[in-house]
Amino acid sequence: MKTTIKVVLMYALVHASAAWSEALKIEITQGISSAQPIAIVPFSSTQVVTGVAVDVAQIISDDLVRSGRFKSLSRFDMLDKPFTSEQVNFRNWQALGQDNLVIGEITEQANGMLEVQFQLFDVYKGEQLMGFSLPANKAGLRSAAHRISDLIYEKLTGQKGAFSTRMAYVTSTKSPNGKHEYKIQVADADGYGAKTIVTSSEPLMSPAWSPRGDKISYVSFEAGRSSIYTQTLRTGAREKLQSFKGINGAPAWSPDGSQMALTLSKDGSADIYVYNVISRSFRRLTFSYAIDTEPNWAPDGRTIIFTSDRGGKPQIYRIAASGGQATRVTFEGDYNARASHSPDGKNIVMVHRVNGQYRVATLELKTGFTNILSDGQLDESPSYAPNGSMILYSTNDSFKSILAAVSSDGKVRQKLRLQGGEVREPAWSPFK
Amino acid sequence: MYKKLLMGLLLSTTLAGCSMFGGDEQATDDAMSGMHDGASTSGMMDGSNYTGHPLDNPASPLSTKVIYFAFDSSAVEAQYEAVLAAHGAYLAANAGVSIIVEGHADERGTREYNIALSERRAKTVQNLLSLQGASSNQTEVVAMGEEKPAAAGHDESAWHLNRRVELIYPAH
Amino acid sequence: MIDLVKKHPLASLLSLVLHLILIGFFIFSTSFNEPGSSIVPPVPIVKATVIDDSKIKAEAEKLKNQALEKKQQEKKRLDDLKNKRLAEENKLAELKKEQALEQQKLEQHKAEQAASAAKLKKQQAIDEKKKADATKQLLIAKEKAAKEKAIKEKAAEENRAKAQAIKEKAAKEKLAKEKAAKEKAAKALAAKEQAARERALNQLAEQEEQEMRAQEAVASYSGLIRQKVERNWLQPPGDITGLSCTVRVRLIPGGDVIDVQVIKSSGNTYFDRSVELATRKASPLPLPNDPAMFNYFRTLDFYFRPGG
């Protein structure tokens, strides 16, 4: 009996040893989910470049960190600051726990143009992942930096970077003599380079980008009541949409740019209408006695979501762009409004009231899972980045409205400091 | 503080009719109810001797041109029924006069939804004016949402002052 | 071209990615309006290390063959032992059969002798009676002599039978002796064989114990290695459920990771890279102090499967 057991064991062991002699198998099921460490060494040069006040590496670092996907090594912690590949000692960066390393060099050409060269390395493999050279003039160095951020972001996440995109927003200031001034401005996605596109002494609101990013539609009260204007950014020329008695608001371009959904109250209560840009005709989409407003198109252009209080409290509903029965989308909480689709159409972001606080929240359409992303009291106007990675919104900071950005998973939040008065209603541009 | 409140009270009782914003900006929640009390205690003044424009007579409900609403509500509270009745009657008696019924909301909630909410308030007021005989072409509704707050601040005292409908007599 | 790709998959992939980025850049730059910001073709400062994976494959093949050979040898040894034992048993059976045949022969011989003796006795009786009938007178005279002769003959006959019996007995004893010797030899052989078998079993038991100890160490260090890799695995953002990737990691004594190869891709480049990075970052991996144990850890396959 004992012998039999031994023989069986012997047999089993012979087999086990055979398996081990190949490779020990280890299963990994857990990991950590945090930002990728990246070291961005200040860009330098062997030659002296004059008249450059832009810190390219800092812009790249700020861009990547703001996305929530990266954490950037402080310059003070760097053991050395190489700017050519020969100078890179990977062991130094491994010791600092960095996965990725960016170095760069700025050189001045004979014609006064700059050449920005950068390389991205895998620190642990000791390999270059990417290397590029971009020409730029001195004034275009900021945008060159954003383009490098885009390239690095895409290389390391597989997602198109949105750092070279822009945002539109509304500002309001009150001069000492009590006069209000309202503006719509367009700035880089990091808030730099703001340009005013329209100024008014009466409120401006609801800026909305055309799908090609060449026009912005907005609501202006300059005539004492609301009207919708569409302004071409390059020329500044604008066109007033046919105005109706009552509300003319909440413009939203269809993804193909052929139509615009908007809110009119000409037939009674606020309802959603669709304006055909080519035929210049209006079509009524909703017919409720309640408030229907804040339309937003699904990326496929087939459906429109909007805010309605037809159930007593404002909630998000969906209706076919061709019309029909609206179905309710949100059920959690008693206040959900101003929803917009993520670029992939899988989520919506909206203003969600919880315990009397107005917060930015996403809702996964497939599961109905609601994720609250912001922590303010009066957060509003959320707007997805065109790559879906981040959301801009406005929040109150010491009694002043400012802009903030949050990564779409809610992990990283950042306030954007912009000049001048109250800043609100950010709208992230599409990709150029 | 109390001095300031009292000042506000006095100012608003006397000047509310002329000013669209002035009284609101200085007044607090308490001052507003005080203003209402002021209207009921106006019997102390001799209204019959008033020689100015009837819309400016502090003894008349016509001098009240801003009415306030509860949170997320467009229902006109009972205390304002007399005010709206007076304005409705005035419009009915003066067919050549037309007004703007301007609706407002507090800053809470989304901006376009608040535009619609402020319009609903203004339309409720417009309907009550019509019941008194004001013709529909005498009243125009404008919805301003939260875009033109009467009071700065981010608490209930400011919010209360901002949830309002203003009756604007442009020609006056 | 395809052969080239097959030969250098990494280099080809890199080249493809770079070309795609390049193409992307050309498209991008044409739609960009700001002056002085358009992108020119990248400076070729790409340095890729092509890992010679045929060498690793050969190494793996060699290790695999060695294991197979060892296994076959062990089997052959056991088979030989079994065959030898079978041969011995056959021999013993042959011997037994031979002994039985010998015994049978002996008995036949004894029966034959008895029969011839009986025949002789009968003939003598007939002769005597004839003689008595023919020479009755002479018979009486000669009776004594005849009688004596008969007695003599009978004694001789008895002697002869006695001798025969002795001879037979000796033969029989010799046979028995031989049989005993043979049996003894067979027994000794069997005992020897049994001893050898027991020795082999003891040896295996010892091996088994060693293996068990090794197995315990392998299990505990596998756990430590797993923990270290998990601590270093920065999962890529987004939905990664359902993705899995296997990497083969080669170590040197001391636990330093010297090579990581994706042997089964998740199909997601960024997931694969996170996995590769995790194993590299976890270097050096914890190993048992006993250098003999290193063989178990020389090559590790990590199966990354988020969420289990």
Side-chain angles (χ1 to χ4, degrees), chain A residues 202 206 221 224-225 247 250 265 268 291 294 309 313 335 337 353 358 378 380 396 399 424-425, chain B residues 71-72 107-113 115-117 119-120 123 140 142-144 146-148 154:
Chain A
E202 294 297 324
S206 304
F221 285 83
R225 53 221 70 186
I247 298 170
S265 62
I291 293 170
E294 301 171 336
D309 70 347
K313 296 283 183 186
Y335 193 106
R353 185 169 67 196
Y358 295 79
L378 292 163
E380 58 178 29
N396 264 25
F399 301 118
R424 57 188 184 236
E425 293 200 84
Chain B
F71 175 57
D72 204 16
E107 64 178 343
R108 290 175 294 171
T110 63
R111 290 180 175 268
E112 287 285 359
Y113 181 77
I115 291 276
L117 189 62
E119 184 186 59
R120 185 187 276 164
K123 281 191 167 168
E140 188 196 349
V142 169
M144 293 304 297
E146 62 178 285
E147 304 305 314
K148 280 201 158 178
H154 304 279

Side-chain angles (χ1 to χ4, degrees), chain B residues 43-73:
Chain B
M44 282 161 71
M45 296 186 197
D46 196 358
S48 56
N49 290 341
Y50 183 74
T51 54
H53 196 282
L55 286 170
D56 299 333
N57 184 354
S60 160
L62 284 176
S63 67
T64 299
K65 296 185 186 66
V66 183
I67 64 166
Y68 298 89
F69 291 82
F71 175 57
D72 204 16
S73 165

Side-chain angles (χ1 to χ4, degrees), chain B residues 13-158:
Chain B
T13 41
T14 51
L15 301 174
C18 302
S19 165
M20 248 171 67
F21 303 115
D24 298 339
E25 277 175 358
Q26 286 174 36
T28 63
D29 203 8
D30 290 342
M32 286 320 301
S33 52
M35 181 173 86
H36 193 66
D37 288 345
S40 63
T41 55
S42 63
M44 282 161 71
M45 296 186 197
D46 196 358
S48 56
N49 290 341
Y50 183 74
T51 54
H53 196 282
L55 286 170
D56 299 333
N57 184 354
S60 160
L62 284 176
S63 67
T64 299
K65 296 185 186 66
V66 183
I67 64 166
Y68 298 89
F69 291 82
F71 175 57
D72 204 16
S73 165
S74 54
V76 171
E77 288 169 23
Q79 68 201 68
Y80 296 113
E81 280 168 8
V83 174
L84 292 179
H87 283 286
Y90 180 80
L91 289 171
N94 300 277
V97 176
S98 61
I99 63 164
I100 292 171
V101 182
E102 194 175 85
H104 296 267
D106 71 28
E107 64 178 343
R108 290 175 294 171
T110 63
R111 290 180 175 268
E112 287 285 359
Y113 181 77
N114 281 340
I115 291 276
L117 189 62
S118 69
E119 184 186 59
R120 185 187 276 164
R121 285 177 179 148
K123 281 191 167 168
T124 309
V125 169
Q126 185 187 38
N127 286 339
L128 289 173
L129 295 174
S130 305
L131 284 175
Q132 298 299 323
S135 119
S136 62
N137 57 22
Q138 279 180 290
T139 55
E140 188 196 349
V141 163
V142 169
M144 293 304 297
E146 62 178 285
E147 304 305 314
K148 280 201 158 178
H154 304 279
D155 53 16
E156 180 51 36
S157 64

Side-chain angles (χ1 to χ4, degrees), chain A residues 40-54:
Chain A
I40 302 157
V41 182
F43 283 25
S44 190
S45 181
T46 42
Q47 58 167 197
V48 180
V49 181
T50 52
V52 173
V54 173

Side-chain angles (χ1 to χ4, degrees), chain A residues 12-67:
Chain A
L13 272 165
V14 165
H15 273 246
S17 317
W20 284 347
S21 69
E22 280 174 20
L24 185 58
K25 286 191 172 55
I26 299 176
E27 195 172 312
I28 306 292
T29 58
Q30 309 288 314
I32 48 171
S33 59
S34 76
Q36 274 191 58
I38 188 165
I40 302 157
V41 182
F43 283 25
S44 190
S45 181
T46 42
Q47 58 167 197
V48 180
V49 181
T50 52
V52 173
V54 173
D55 188 340
V56 173
Q58 192 60 51
I59 296 169
I60 298 169
S61 170
D62 290 346
D63 280 348
L64 295 177
V65 168
R66 202 169 57 248
S67 75

Side-chain angles (χ1 to χ4, degrees), chain A residues 123-318:
Chain A
V123 167
Y124 286 89
K125 246 180 166 172
E127 270 178 19
Q128 179 183 299
L129 291 171
M130 184 170 57
F132 270 105
S133 175
L134 292 84
N137 60 19
K138 283 170 186 172
L141 211 49
R142 275 202 82 87
S143 53
H146 290 314
R147 307 260 300 287
I148 294 172
S149 302
D150 284 340
L151 289 166
I152 293 169
Y153 186 85
E154 183 158 5
K155 185 74 198 172
L156 295 178
T157 68
Q159 230 182 23
K160 202 170 167 182
F163 305 112
S164 295
T165 54
R166 291 171 294 168
M167 58 178 171
Y169 50 86
V170 176
T171 67
S172 95
T173 47
K174 195 176 166 187
S175 61
N177 62 15
K179 283 220 167 176
H180 282 273
E181 191 173 62
Y182 302 88
K183 286 177 183 168
I184 290 179
Q185 294 190 319
V186 174
D188 291 348
D190 62 354
Y192 280 84
K195 289 186 185 78
T196 301
I197 67 158
V198 59
T199 306
S200 173
S201 58
E202 294 297 324
L204 295 167
M205 63 187 291
S206 304
W209 291 85
S210 68
R212 283 171 57 197
D214 56 341
K215 293 172 187 163
I216 289 179
S217 295
Y218 55 87
V219 174
S220 171
F221 285 83
E222 61 200 72
R225 53 221 70 186
S226 58
S227 307
I228 295 171
Y229 291 85
T230 296
Q231 186 166 329
T232 303
L233 291 179
R234 206 167 48 81
T235 62
R238 64 177 195 165
E239 190 185 343
K240 185 179 171 186
L241 199 72
Q242 185 187 347
S243 256
F244 297 92
K245 187 172 65 110
I247 298 170
N248 297 269
W253 289 80
S254 68
D256 66 359
S258 69
Q259 298 174 89
M260 182 190 282
L262 62 152
T263 301
L264 299 175
S265 62
K266 67 187 177 82
D267 298 311
S269 64
D271 272 303
I272 310 293
Y273 291 73
V274 175
Y275 170 67
N276 187 312
V277 174
I278 294 136
S279 68
R280 294 177 180 261
S281 59
F282 291 84
R283 169 168 60 90
R284 189 173 175 182
L285 194 61
T286 66
F287 294 85
S288 77
Y289 292 108
I291 293 170
D292 291 343
T293 186
E294 301 171 336
N296 175 265
W297 298 76
D300 65 4
R302 288 190 187 156
T303 56
I304 289 170
I305 51 172
F306 60 97
T307 307
S308 175
D309 70 347
R310 57 186 67 190
K313 296 283 183 186
Q315 294 290 350
I316 307 302
Y317 290 77
R318 182 195 288 115

